Amino acid sequence: MSDDSPFFITGSEQKGPWLITCDHARNHVPVAINGGSLGLSVCEMQRHIAYDVGAEGLSLALGKYLQSPVLCSNFSRLVIDPNRGEDDPTLLMKVYDGTFIPANRNTDAADVERRLEAYHRPYHKAYSELATSDRAIVAVHSFTPRLKGRSPRPWEIGILFAKDRRLADLTIARLQARGNLTVGINEPYDGHLPGDSIDQHALPRDLLNILIEVRNDLIGTKKEQNAWAQLLAPILRQALAATDTTKAGE
């Protein structure tokens, strides 16, 4: 994989019944984008605005425990957001959580199209090829403990879903049964965003799916990422084994 490849796949030879995805894996800015800089400081690029802190490591650890392939983006969500539809107004952010993005300030439709073609569409092509009917999708994200000017977020983990709750409900029940976690149910975000990755690849084909959000201060190190993967892997296996495979809505 070159430094500016739009995605990378780990464990493509794995035969487990999952596809683990990480839409916001890295804060990398390709050289083709303003010489590899969005005009932000290193400190700003380490924030949640640029990528999902800790999510890549958690995804890779889950892939290892679930013996399944992992698809990760290789460009910052500030370059263009792969978890947004092409017509979403937040596809290319000019301001995010109080921070102005200098290299995005004067972008026009032609700039957006170039970024779609170079990064967004290749990522989703790979996603589509990996999202086979024999795999359940686990989309891994992380969230900041607190947005600027907002109240602290109490959840350690959130389970998000749209109309298909088959896998989500069983996972939520098992997490809550532990008794030591505050589990967000479609928190800290709503589970259905038209045009997002799950909406594009899972819902139209009735593929089992779940989106997991872990608070990023809990997965900042490889040790923490591995510990969460060890916690989640058996819960996901149990949930999948108990899931009614009847198509959602039937």
Side-chain angles (χ1 to χ4, degrees), residues 120-141:
H120 192 282
R121 290 171 186 154
Y123 174 76
H124 282 285
K125 183 176 184 294
Y127 202 134
S128 179
E129 291 170 354
L130 288 167
T132 54
S133 60
D134 57 342
R135 288 174 174 155
I137 297 174
V138 181
V140 178
H141 292 256

Side-chain angles (χ1 to χ4, degrees), residues 165-215:
R165 304 179 60 137
R166 291 173 294 175
L167 195 55
D169 283 346
L170 292 164
T171 302
I172 291 166
R174 283 164 172 77
L175 287 168
Q176 291 176 330
R178 292 178 56 85
N180 62 346
L181 292 172
T182 302
V183 181
I185 301 173
N186 272 347
E187 296 284 2
Y189 307 105
D190 185 77
H192 184 226
L193 180 65
D196 69 6
S197 294
I198 292 295
D199 190 53
Q200 288 188 51
H201 299 287
L203 300 187
R205 300 171 57 200
D206 285 302
L207 301 184
L208 288 169
N209 67 88
I210 188 170
L211 192 151
I212 297 174
E213 292 263 7
V214 180
R215 208 173 68 211

